[in-house]
Each structure stands twice: as C-alpha cells, then as structure tokens.
Amino acid sequence: MNVLLKSAKIIDKNSQFNGQTKDVLIERGIIIQIADNIEKKGNIREISYKNLHVSNGWFDSSVSFAEPGYEERETIDNGIDVAAKSGFTAVALNPNTNPKIDHKSAVEFLVNKGNLGIVDLYPIGNLTINAEGKELAELYDMFRTGAIAFGDYNKSLSNANLLKVALLYAQNFDGLVISFPQDNQLAQHGFVNEGVNSTKLGLKSIPSLAEELQIARDLFLLEYTGGKLHIPTISTANSVKLIREAKKKGLNISCSVTPHHLNLNDEFLHDFDPDFKVTPPLRTKTDSKALIKGVIDGTIDMITSDHNPIDIENKKVEMENALYGTIGLESAFGSLCKILPLETLISALTEKPRSVFGVSSSKIAEGNSANLTLFNPESEYIFTSSNIRSSSKNSIFKNQKMKGSVYGIINKNNIVLAQ
C-alpha cells in the first residue's frame, strides 16, 4: 500500500512535526517522507481532505463486540469495521461474552480473529472464573496467550481479599487488574443517579457513594499490595479527587471516563429513554465538569467509548427492565471535540491508554510504521441513526450536536476510509 497524505496537520506532541501541516508519504506501511510538498509519482494513492489532520492511531480501552455468544448484537468482523471507520486502530475487547474469556483458549480465539482485521484487537481476560467473583481465573495463562488486562466487565468485586490476592499475583508478570467501581450493597437495584431528578421521576437510584466507597477500598488495597490497578469509567467528582490524591502518593493507579459522562447528565432522563440507561449512571452537571477538569489536568488517563451494543429486544423495553449500555465508537470523537482541547483529547485516545495497557505506540516520524488516524476536528453535524454503523442502534448520542468527524485510518499496511 502506497499512500500520499496531502496537507495534513500533524497532531503528535512527541513528533518534531507536531502542529505543522505537511505532506506524508507512506510506502508498504512505513512513513518514508514528511515534507512541505511531496510530488506524487507512480502508483501512489493520493488522499486529500478538507482540514485534514493526522495523529497516531486511537486506542479504545473498553469495547464490547459480543462475539462469541451474542452475535445478534455485534460480530467481531462488523465491530472491526465500525472501529476503523470511527478512527480507532486498536481496541481492548471486554470479556462479556458467552462463554466468558476466563481461559487461554478463549483468548486465542479472539487473538486469531483480530489478526485478520485492520484494527488491532487486544483481549481483556476475566479476573474471576465465569465472572462470578469467587475464584481467580487463569490469569498467567491468559497473559501468555495475549490478554492485556484482567477484569469482569461492569461487575464489581465484593470480595476484598480476592482483589488483594489478584493484585499480588499479577505482579509476578506485571499484569494489569481492572476493578469496576461500584459497591453493590449500596447500589442495590438502582439504575439512575440518586438526586433531585431521580426523585422527580420516581426511578430507583444509585448514590455517588456506591462508586466512591468502592474506589476508596480499592485504593487502600493497592497501597497495601502494590501492583497495577485500573478503574474504568469513573463518573463522580469525588472519584476524581480520590484518584488524584492516590497519584500524588505514587500509587500505580489509572482510570478512564466515557464521552457520555463528560457530555451528558441526569437531566437527560426526563423522556425515560432506555438508551440513557448506562453504568455507572449519568451523574450531575457538577460531576461532568469535574470529570472534564480531570481529563485536562491528567488525573483521568484516558477516554473510552465503552461501546456496548444491545439488541432491540433487550433495550427498547421499560427503562427498569432494559440492559445497561450504549454504543459509542461512532460518536466518540464528535462528542469530545466539543468539550476538550484537541491535543488533550488526542493524548487521551493515544499515548496514555497505550502506555497503561502496554500497547505499542510510535511517534509520527520518517522510518516508523504508519499507525494513523485521519480526521477533521472542526466539522459540525447532528448525530442521527444514519451515522450508526453498529448492528445494534442503542446510542445515547442520537440527535446530539457533534463537532469533529473521522476520515479513516491507516494500519497494518492498509487503509480504511469512512467516506
């Protein structure tokens, strides 16, 4: 594959060309030349778009493709296409499948599927057998097979001793442990944020304390054991504060946040739309502001779409009975450009998550492999059903204003364009 990117503004703070508009010549998957003007010669595909920007390929640390077991929601093949056309060259796959990803053969299945596509797939193995929170799964065997982290997707671990043992054990191979932040005894059967709006609407609620108490417990365990801990999809102002203080102590802690928790809040629940049923629940405007500040100051390491396709039979029902989750790959960039500085956003989609999850990355420079995302951060539009490429249509961002669109990706000596 030979490609010439014309007049592309490079966004990569580690590159000598950061902030500069250059032509970029790629031959057989390698960046051959970066210059002010490169003349097209021979059999080279020229790519020229309005306001073209290029960065290192984006990495999403929490994606569900539902295969094996729930192919009616999404398949890996279609999920790869969605991710590529949404700007992601790599994704970490959640283990919320059937059967679970709690042994090495299940990891091998995902690794082999991933080798066939343009998007790099990195399996997350279950932390416990069958995600039941009772016994540790085969962590080391899965690690050797290709799992990059271990956690039971959207399931908190009530057994503090089991998390302690996991943190200690994983240190033997520098493994990353993921702990979903929710105390189930406090959450009970709630599904929206506890506050004025839940009271007005008469919906069962989950207090912020359910998240914050679990995070405080996990941080105490991490301080006791050492090791590496990742807390996904935090949603409250106090959660940001707790993690900020833990980082000041020198703990090896990382965390993520979703675009919907940055952009939306519990005031959007007034229509009882089940697409707004997510976990953690949407919190308050104050929480969203604190989360944005946490991304900007580096307390929050990364942003994840938390892409979770749910079929219509399990989503378009009464809100209380609907499954949790929203798709998010297609809407991630457009929703984030509205609220974050561009370099902050790109860092939270590239170098930071790749560093935490141990996924390779390289700066945009001559001689390096081309693992790139092509985009326009200024285009404005309304996100509608026509923008959804996922098999399931449960998007929390339908009919929301967007700023920023994706042109495509280059990876593995191949190119996929969204348009």
Side-chain angles (χ1 to χ4, degrees):
M1 179 203 72
N2 299 329
V3 172
L4 176 60
L5 304 180
K6 295 295 291 184
S7 299
K9 186 171 183 179
I10 296 171
I11 307 297
D12 177 7
K13 68 181 184 180
N14 296 315
S15 171
Q16 69 181 90
F17 302 105
N18 183 41
Q20 300 178 39
T21 299
K22 299 285 185 179
D23 288 0
V24 181
L25 177 62
I26 301 164
E27 294 183 0
R28 297 180 181 179
I30 304 297
I31 299 172
I32 299 299
Q33 185 181 5
I34 301 174
D36 290 333
N37 183 50
I38 301 174
E39 184 180 349
K40 179 184 174 183
K41 297 179 180 179
N43 186 26
I44 296 176
R45 181 178 183 179
E46 184 173 299
I47 303 294
S48 179
Y49 283 114
K50 178 182 178 181
N51 196 31
L52 175 60
H53 285 56
V54 59
S55 74
N56 284 310
W58 303 344
F59 172 60
D60 194 330
S61 62
S62 177
V63 168
S64 302
F65 286 162
E67 183 183 350
Y70 303 104
E71 286 82 359
E72 71 278 7
R73 300 177 185 178
E74 190 78 279
T75 63
I76 290 176
D77 289 341
N78 191 68
I80 287 173
D81 183 66
V82 174
K85 291 177 179 177
S86 301
F88 294 90
T89 64
V91 297
L93 284 178
N94 293 315
N96 54 332
T97 56
N98 184 24
K100 300 297 183 186
I101 312 301
D102 59 2
H103 53 284
K104 71 174 186 177
S105 61
V107 174
E108 285 174 348
F109 167 78
L110 296 177
V111 169
N112 290 335
K113 289 282 286 189
N115 288 336
L116 303 176
I118 187 173
V119 175
D120 298 311
L121 301 187
Y122 296 97
I124 295 174
N126 280 108
L127 185 64
T128 65
I129 295 175
N130 204 34
E132 293 177 347
K134 296 177 181 179
E135 299 178 68
L136 288 184
E138 301 172 358
L139 305 189
Y140 183 59
D141 283 348
M142 289 191 289
F143 173 79
R144 292 183 62 190
T145 309
I148 61 169
F150 306 95
D152 297 335
Y153 179 66
N154 281 354
K155 290 186 176 182
S156 57
L157 194 59
S158 60
N159 187 332
N161 186 62
L162 197 58
L163 180 60
K164 182 196 78 171
V165 171
L167 286 166
L168 289 169
Y169 177 67
Q171 290 178 56
N172 291 297
F173 50 92
D174 199 31
L176 178 64
V177 175
I178 300 173
S179 179
F180 181 68
Q182 179 170 286
D183 184 306
N184 292 328
Q185 296 301 312
L186 285 171
Q188 291 290 319
H189 301 293
F191 54 91
V192 299
N193 181 56
E194 181 181 85
V196 173
N197 287 303
S198 66
T199 302
K200 285 181 179 179
L201 299 173
L203 299 175
K204 295 177 182 178
S205 60
I206 302 174
S208 296
L209 181 64
E211 175 173 309
E212 296 151 6
L213 189 62
Q214 190 82 354
I215 290 176
R217 183 206 73 171
D218 290 353
L219 292 174
F220 272 117
L221 288 169
L222 180 63
E223 188 171 10
Y224 178 81
T225 61
K228 297 193 300 186
L229 180 66
H230 178 70
I231 299 178
T233 61
I234 65 171
S235 67
T236 80
N238 276 335
S239 294
V240 178
K241 182 179 178 181
L242 286 166
I243 291 170
R244 184 179 291 121
E245 291 171 349
K247 288 190 171 187
K248 288 179 181 178
K249 288 183 178 180
L251 299 184
N252 197 342
I253 178 71
S254 61
C255 65
S256 66
V257 68
T258 73
H260 44 277
H261 287 102
L262 293 170
N263 277 277
L264 308 175
N265 56 71
D266 60 1
E267 293 180 9
F268 284 78
L269 299 173
H270 55 83
D271 288 333
F272 300 92
D273 186 345
D275 283 344
F276 285 81
K277 184 178 180 181
V278 292
T279 182
L282 297 177
R283 302 292 186 181
T284 67
K285 286 182 179 179
T286 299
D287 291 310
S288 293
K289 289 177 181 178
L291 292 168
I292 292 171
K293 182 180 178 181
V295 174
I296 292 172
D297 70 19
T299 300
I300 297 175
D301 302 272
M302 66 197 75
I303 302 170
T304 172
S305 70
D306 203 28
H307 182 81
N308 190 7
I310 304 295
D311 56 284
I312 191 170
E313 287 83 1
N314 286 295
K315 199 60 171 175
K316 291 303 177 183
V317 295
E318 295 84 357
M319 195 170 188
E320 184 171 356
N321 297 324
L323 294 183
Y324 293 98
T326 176
I327 57 172
L329 286 168
E330 301 99 312
S331 55
F333 185 63
S335 65
L336 293 169
C337 267
K338 299 187 299 181
I339 57 174
L340 292 171
L342 183 58
E343 283 209 7
T344 299
L345 168 56
I346 296 303
S347 179
L349 291 175
T350 56
E351 60 180 295
K352 287 190 174 182
R354 286 176 179 271
S355 175
V356 169
F357 280 81
V359 174
S360 63
S361 177
S362 62
K363 63 184 177 181
I364 299 176
E366 294 175 356
N368 286 348
S369 297
N371 183 327
L372 306 172
T373 298
L374 316 179
F375 59 94
N376 176 359
E378 299 298 332
S379 62
E380 296 184 351
Y381 59 99
I382 302 296
F383 187 83
T384 66
S385 297
S386 65
N387 300 109
I388 297 176
R389 294 185 169 93
S390 301
S391 301
S392 296
K393 311 302 177 184
N394 55 306
S395 173
I396 200 170
F397 280 109
K398 275 185 283 192
N399 301 318
Q400 296 289 317
K401 288 183 179 180
M402 296 287 169
K403 179 185 176 185
S405 56
V406 172
Y407 290 133
I409 65 168
I410 297 173
N411 190 34
K412 295 183 177 180
N413 193 25
N414 210 334
I415 184 169
V416 169
L417 299 178
Q419 301 175 358

